[in-house]
Amino acid sequence: MTNAHDADTRPGRLLLLLPLQAGCVAGLGLLVTGPLAGRWPLSSEDGVNRALAVRRSVPATVFSEAMSLLAGTGSVIALTLVACVALLCVPRVPRWREAAFLAVSVAAQSAVFLLVTLVVERPRPDVPHLDAAPPTSSFPSGHVGASMALFGGLAVLAARRLSGLRRYLVVAVLLLLPLAVAGSRVYRGMHHPSDVLAGLLNGACTLLVVACAVLLPGTGAAPERAAGGGLPPVPRTGPAGGRTSSGERGRVVVVRHPHGCDAVTAARVRDVLRGRGWTDQVWVLTSAEEPCGALAARTAEADTALVVVCGGDGTVRACAEVLAGTGIPLAIVPCGTGNLLARNLRLPSDAAAALEEALSGEAVGVDVGRVSGDGLAPTRFVVMAGAGFDAAMVRDASPRLKERLGWAAYVLSALRHLRDPRMRLSIRLDGGAPLERRARMVVIGNVGTLQGGLPLLPDARPDSGRLDVVLLDPRGAGGWFAAARHLASRGTGRGSADGRPRPATGGSGRLAAHGALEYFSAARIDLRLARTQPRELDGDAFPAGTRVTAEVEPGALRVCLPVPARTGAPGTPGTPDERVTDGAEGAAALSAGD
């Protein structure tokens, strides 16, 4: 049985391919300078260099000088350090794996280059040189290899993080830079064409090896989809995984919200963990300054095998911010006001029962959303992000009433904002053309069911690789009534014949409730609001602003979920079971191969 430690260390052994890569490049160099030197096309390389030398012009010379300077040793080292520092300091959670990928790629390429030049000796082209010739072989081009490792590595990271048109533009620009450097080195008489081709090959092979060794293990990249559209469950390693090579459980970190999880509940959680074999427990408390406690520091320890979060959606969101992409499984103990993620994932409302079922199930990859905007640093969410009416409702809900009434406090807050003015906005889906709309609120959801089984986003699934969007724009009392009736009918199994909103006429969304609701779905959503509006993430108020950009990170978070009955669907239309999970039961059903 493969344990989690082995799964993470084996890909690192791929770095042992780098010496083999150096040997292959050196062998190619010996062929270029030996048996193949007088054969076409190598025999025509001198003619190419001479033709470029006699056709040099001021603009081309200036451009080539800039490209050579950009790919110089000092520039590459400085840019790599800046990029790594940015990856570690700018995001809310340091991206250690991505920074390591970039640094190791540049360093490994340089090491291969130096090893090859010790074996291969090739003089530089017999034309006037525009740069001082370093005392190394012309084969391969170090400038080109370094630029390929640096800018190609940045292109790999951009392709993982961006989406839509911006992804293609950024990746294309980054990949064009090594090609421009290659052409500049030949133009300036510093290398033969085969030298720069070998440099490109060396840099590209280094990126491939390092990416497989560093980025693939537990990166949160999108897993392969099963034939039915769902994500396959992560292979089980016992009831909750996390065993060491000696067969013992690893360390479990329990993140506890001091108000949501009282002492009695904490004692029950501790007993459940002990009963399941988790004796090495580390408990951390959340605070306003640290909404996930000291989780980031604890998960950096190699023996952390499981994280249990005892709190509401805000605490779960803060923990997901740290855990997404790490491969460490998360077990949710619902102890908050709404507990929407737990409800949508079909976890029991009782804390101990939820933990028991989660630890007896499987760890499954579920999506998380990543949102940013003006005054809003990139932040992950697991339930919903919104602007307008719902964000104002969250912002103005009384903390005292939330403690006494629970989620009903949001209803009282909502009544205060029923007459708020509509907002003008534009919405762009997956880089498409912006759609101009008016609405009282916009909600972007990873899951779709609210308290009481109210399906605000009936098609949202936490394993779909997409985010769902709803615009609420009721007109007058009749509009509010139509919207409420539509949502209530979906929650009780009634509604349209096929159970789906009516397609919009002439638009790209789907209309429902006589136009009071409009639905969209995309992997990336860009919102632009005409005026500053309140914003919220997973039930927590965030600074008001005019821009919201949300994109999905497919399968980035491993969550321990119960295994549903394999005899059929978990519920039938109209049952309470379905009302709680409508539109979001897919993640739990994955464990049964649904």
Side-chain angles (χ1 to χ4, degrees):
M1 184 175 293
T2 302
N3 58 43
H5 177 71
D6 290 337
D8 264 355
T9 56
R10 281 180 185 168
R13 298 175 186 172
L14 292 172
L15 293 176
L16 297 177
L17 292 175
L18 291 173
L20 177 62
Q21 175 186 325
C24 292
V25 177
L28 180 61
L30 293 176
L31 290 175
V32 169
T33 57
L36 301 180
R39 297 178 178 271
W40 190 90
L42 297 178
S43 59
S44 62
E45 286 190 312
D46 290 336
V48 173
N49 288 108
R50 287 193 293 268
L52 290 174
V54 300
R55 290 175 172 81
R56 289 170 178 167
S57 62
V58 174
T61 299
V62 172
F63 175 78
S64 67
E65 183 178 8
M67 290 296 100
S68 289
L69 179 62
L70 181 66
T73 302
S75 299
V76 169
I77 293 176
L79 291 174
T80 302
L81 289 175
V82 169
C84 290
V85 170
L87 288 169
L88 297 178
C89 298
V90 174
R92 186 168 182 175
V93 177
R95 298 175 182 171
W96 292 99
R97 196 182 294 273
E98 295 183 348
F101 160 70
L102 195 62
V104 172
S105 296
V106 174
Q109 182 282 143
S110 299
V112 172
F113 162 74
L114 291 175
L115 290 174
V116 172
T117 57
L118 294 176
V119 178
V120 180
E121 294 184 5
R122 190 183 196 188
R124 298 188 181 275
D126 188 18
V127 296
H129 301 158
L130 297 183
D131 293 325
T136 55
S137 171
S138 179
F139 183 98
S141 171
H143 281 68
V144 174
S147 65
M148 187 65 190
L150 172 58
F151 298 113
L154 291 174
V156 171
L157 299 182
R160 287 162 51 87
R161 292 292 176 178
L162 303 179
S163 61
L165 180 61
R166 186 171 63 167
R167 170 195 285 176
Y168 297 110
L169 290 177
V170 172
V171 171
V173 170
L174 289 171
L175 292 181
L176 284 175
L177 288 176
L179 298 177
V181 171
S184 299
R185 299 302 288 171
V186 176
Y187 173 87
R188 298 182 70 80
M190 304 307 298
H191 293 284
H192 307 88
S194 58
D195 299 335
V196 299
L197 290 177
L200 290 172
L201 179 65
N202 181 32
C205 289
T206 303
L207 285 176
L208 178 62
V209 172
V210 178
C212 291
V214 178
L215 287 185
L216 287 186
T219 58
E224 295 294 330
R225 298 282 168 179
L231 297 175
V234 177
R236 295 175 63 180
T237 55
R243 292 190 185 274
T244 64
S245 57
S246 63
E248 297 295 328
R249 295 284 187 186
R251 173 174 297 176
V252 55
V253 178
V254 184
V255 180
R256 175 191 169 197
H257 191 290
H259 301 298
C261 180
D262 56 22
V264 175
T265 302
R268 296 175 65 199
V269 169
R270 185 177 289 107
D271 291 340
V272 170
L273 288 172
R274 286 175 178 168
R276 290 283 178 175
W278 295 96
T279 57
D280 188 1
Q281 303 178 21
V282 176
W283 287 68
V284 297
L285 290 177
T286 67
S287 64
E289 295 75 22
E290 290 185 301
C292 63
L295 179 61
R298 291 298 184 181
T299 53
E301 300 172 3
D303 54 355
T304 299
L306 175 69
V307 172
V308 176
V309 54
C310 304
D313 291 316
T315 307
V316 174
R317 180 194 61 77
C319 293
E321 180 75 40
V322 176
L323 295 178
T326 65
I328 300 175
L330 171 69
I332 300 173
V333 178
C335 298
T337 303
N339 303 316
L340 290 182
L341 182 62
R343 291 170 181 267
N344 280 270
L345 295 180
R346 306 189 62 203
L347 291 171
S349 58
D350 178 75
L355 184 57
E356 281 277 6
E357 292 198 16
L359 296 182
S360 64
E362 295 177 344
V364 178
V366 301
D367 305 341
V368 298
R370 186 176 179 85
V371 68
S372 60
D374 54 325
L376 180 61
T379 306
R380 291 185 173 98
F381 67 96
V382 292
V383 180
M384 298 176 185
F389 170 81
D390 69 316
M393 173 190 69
V394 168
R395 180 194 62 192
D396 296 336
S398 169
R400 180 176 301 179
L401 289 179
K402 284 197 294 183
E403 291 182 7
R404 294 182 178 180
L405 303 178
W407 62 267
Y410 292 118
V411 176
L412 298 178
S413 178
L415 296 175
R416 300 168 51 189
H417 294 282
L418 288 178
R419 298 181 61 85
D420 285 357
R422 301 160 67 203
M423 55 184 179
R424 289 188 296 110
L425 60 93
S426 68
I427 179 171
R428 187 191 298 267
L429 307 171
D430 289 335
L435 305 174
E436 302 297 328
R437 294 291 190 272
R438 286 180 177 269
R440 295 188 182 275
M441 79 173 189
V442 54
V443 173
I444 302 169
N446 187 40
V447 297
T449 303
L450 302 178
Q451 287 88 353
L454 196 66
L456 179 63
L457 292 162
D459 297 324
R461 286 172 52 101
D463 65 315
S464 65
R466 299 176 69 80
L467 297 172
D468 279 45
V469 188
V470 61
L471 302 180
L472 175 67
D473 188 28
R475 310 289 179 89
W480 283 105
F481 178 78
R485 183 178 60 181
H486 172 79
L487 295 176
S489 66
R490 291 300 305 266
T492 56
R494 300 189 299 271
S496 61
D498 61 355
R500 301 179 70 86
R502 176 173 57 85
T505 57
S508 60
R510 301 190 304 273
L511 292 176
H514 307 292
L517 296 165
E518 187 174 13
Y519 296 93
F520 304 89
S521 178
R524 177 186 173 92
I525 300 101
D526 291 283
L527 295 175
R528 296 295 183 268
L529 310 173
R531 292 185 177 182
T532 300
Q533 298 289 341
R535 299 177 292 191
E536 63 90 12
L537 295 178
D538 289 354
D540 288 339
F542 275 71
T546 60
R547 299 197 307 272
V548 175
T549 297
E551 52 189 324
V552 69
E553 295 181 4
L557 184 66
R558 293 181 65 199
V559 180
C560 297
L561 298 179
V563 178
R566 298 178 184 270
T567 56
T572 57
T575 64
D577 189 35
E578 184 191 50
R579 289 200 299 271
V580 173
T581 61
D582 183 22
E585 69 184 44
L590 297 177
S591 302
D594 188 14

